[in-house]
Amino acid sequence: MKTYNLAFKYRIYPNETQANTINQTFGCIRLVYSRFLAQRKELYETEKKSVTYNTQAKELVPLKFELPFLKEVDSIALQQSLKNLETAYKNFFQKRTIKKS
């Protein structure tokens, strides 16, 4: 029996409001990722310790009060950026990163 792998390509054409929402979400994701990455780097450099995803997820709530525009985007996207950071950090310390030449 033959198996086939099928793929579908989709292209979306968001209107102006949707495009603004998408751009705002990506901007907030970058901000959260960068801010918590800097926190992890600083803690590792000073104390040789690391923070977990759960700790940083709890810190995300007060950050939303400090930066109210974070409340306007999807909270799941912000949490996923923290999970991506956790994965990247684990991969780095387990030597599973790709070296650029």
Side-chain angles (χ1 to χ4, degrees):
M1 175 181 211
K2 289 185 178 181
T3 59
Y4 295 96
N5 294 327
L6 299 175
F8 296 97
K9 285 187 176 183
Y10 291 97
R11 174 128 174 125
I12 60 170
Y13 298 96
N15 61 31
E16 189 175 338
T17 306
Q18 292 168 330
N20 288 338
T21 302
I22 291 168
N23 290 333
Q24 184 180 12
T25 301
F26 286 152
C28 290
I29 287 171
R30 280 192 300 270
L31 175 94
V32 167
Y33 189 94
S34 298
R35 188 176 186 122
F36 285 105
L37 175 61
Q39 179 191 45
R40 280 183 180 235
K41 278 182 166 180
E42 182 181 336
L43 184 65
Y44 185 76
E45 289 172 358
T46 57
E47 301 177 23
K48 299 291 184 208
K49 292 183 181 178
S50 184
V51 194
T52 63
Y53 161 77
N54 292 330
T55 306
Q56 289 187 324
K58 289 176 186 172
E59 293 173 10
L60 186 59
V61 177
L63 184 62
K64 287 183 181 180
F65 289 107
E66 184 182 325
L67 305 171
F69 59 86
L70 290 177
K71 291 181 183 179
E72 298 172 12
V73 299
D74 185 30
S75 62
I76 295 172
L78 299 177
Q79 290 173 352
Q80 186 61 44
S81 72
L82 290 178
K83 287 182 183 179
N84 293 343
L85 176 60
E86 175 82 5
T87 302
Y89 222 69
K90 283 181 180 178
N91 286 342
F92 175 76
F93 282 106
Q94 293 176 357
K95 309 283 189 227
R96 291 188 287 189
T97 56
I98 299 172
K99 291 184 180 181
K100 294 182 180 180
S101 53

